Amino acid sequence: FAAQRFSFVILIIALFAPIASAVCDVSYLATEEGAGRLGVIVDGKPLPLVVHSDDHAGVLRVAKLLRDDFERVSGTAPQLSTNGTPPAKEVILIGTLGKSPLIDRLVADGKLDVDDVQGRWETFVLKIVDKPLDGVDRALVIAGSDKRGTIFGMFDLSQQMGVSPWYFWADVPVRPQKNLYILPGQHTDGEPAVKYRGIFINDEAPCLAGWAHEKFGGFNAKFYDHVFELILRLKGSYLWPAM
């Protein structure tokens, strides 16, 4: 990748190494069918994504990135529904407690146990749920305690599928997959041990500054779009821009 990114990437790797090493220690994905498993990608076709339009704007935005990640892995972009109506018998249902009517309905109906999520900081749970909603036979539910909890749950699935947080900054390739199945059980990282986790950006001129001006026209919203995405993919929550 571009040499101008070296200083920036090395700095972030050093800061996030403890977090990155703890991510995906235990895989909840398999490439073959099995008892109780749910295929999120089968024969190259991913399940539709369902997120309610009432959820946080950031959750809706990252759902689009998750859709892009599925396309990177499978070669096909899944349908993304935001109108509250699941478009298939099997779906991936995404939402935040207290913001998503779909997730709150699951909790109210006793179909999703959120005792380990409710009221916690940036916590998510992934679980296969049978008959979650009318017209849906099975769903992978990604539920977050708050906005970043839901976002971290989506990006955790992305990384488990093989999309590195560094796919842009370090040109990490994505390994294609035709079949991926979620294992039964309840999957979570728990609550972060450190409340605020993030990065400090120095000017790093001329390296980072020159590259940013060449690629984006400067340290602007287009540049920071990629910075914020990387922080969230690494389950970070903090940025100190020292410009």
Side-chain angles (χ1 to χ4, degrees):
F1 61 81
Q4 290 90 340
R5 283 184 268 180
F6 278 158
S7 57
F8 181 64
V9 170
I10 290 173
L11 172 63
I12 300 178
I13 289 175
L15 290 169
F16 273 104
I19 299 174
S21 64
V23 173
C24 296
D25 285 345
V26 178
S27 177
Y28 48 77
L29 282 176
T31 57
E32 297 180 352
E33 292 184 82
R37 297 177 182 180
L38 174 64
V40 291
I41 300 175
V42 178
D43 294 331
K45 184 178 180 180
L47 290 183
L49 309 177
V50 179
V51 58
H52 201 282
S53 58
D54 287 348
D55 215 315
H56 297 284
V59 169
L60 295 171
R61 181 165 181 167
V62 172
K64 296 177 182 178
L65 295 178
L66 179 59
R67 178 188 60 191
D68 295 342
D69 289 345
F70 267 102
E71 185 174 12
R72 290 185 178 99
V73 174
S74 70
T76 302
Q79 181 179 352
L80 174 60
S81 173
T82 60
N83 62 10
T85 303
K89 295 291 185 181
E90 294 183 338
V91 298
I92 298 175
L93 182 58
I94 303 159
T96 309
L97 295 174
K99 286 293 289 184
S100 170
L102 300 176
I103 297 297
D104 289 346
R105 188 189 312 170
L106 293 182
V107 176
D109 292 344
K111 296 180 179 180
L112 182 66
D113 181 2
V114 293
D115 288 346
D116 294 332
V117 179
Q118 187 83 50
R120 296 185 181 272
W121 178 260
E122 297 175 348
T123 306
F124 66 87
V125 61
L126 289 86
K127 184 179 182 180
I128 299 171
V129 176
D130 294 328
K131 304 291 184 183
L133 303 168
D134 292 341
V136 180
D137 293 336
R138 301 181 84 199
L140 169 63
V141 176
I142 303 175
S145 62
D146 51 25
K147 177 174 66 174
R148 282 192 295 273
T150 307
I151 289 171
F152 293 162
M154 286 188 277
F155 279 148
D156 195 77
L157 177 60
S158 289
Q159 189 163 3
Q160 289 261 350
M161 291 192 302
V163 179
S164 169
W166 300 96
Y167 79 94
F168 174 79
W169 289 102
D171 298 328
V172 178
V174 177
R175 179 183 177 184
Q177 298 281 2
K178 289 296 183 184
N179 297 283
L180 285 176
Y181 298 86
I182 296 287
L183 303 180
Q186 189 156 299
H187 312 287
T188 181
D189 276 353
E191 193 172 34
V194 178
K195 192 168 187 179
Y196 298 109
R197 311 160 311 281
I199 63 174
F200 168 89
I201 298 182
N202 204 347
D203 284 315
E204 294 297 341
C207 289
L208 181 61
W211 178 81
H213 278 279
E214 179 184 343
K215 291 287 290 187
F216 305 110
F219 290 112
N220 53 28
K222 294 179 181 179
F223 168 80
Y224 276 107
D225 186 48
H226 292 284
V227 174
F228 287 134
E229 180 184 336
L230 175 64
I231 293 173
L232 290 173
R233 284 183 181 271
L234 290 170
K235 298 188 175 75
S237 59
Y238 187 83
L239 172 68
W240 185 354
M243 297 303 173

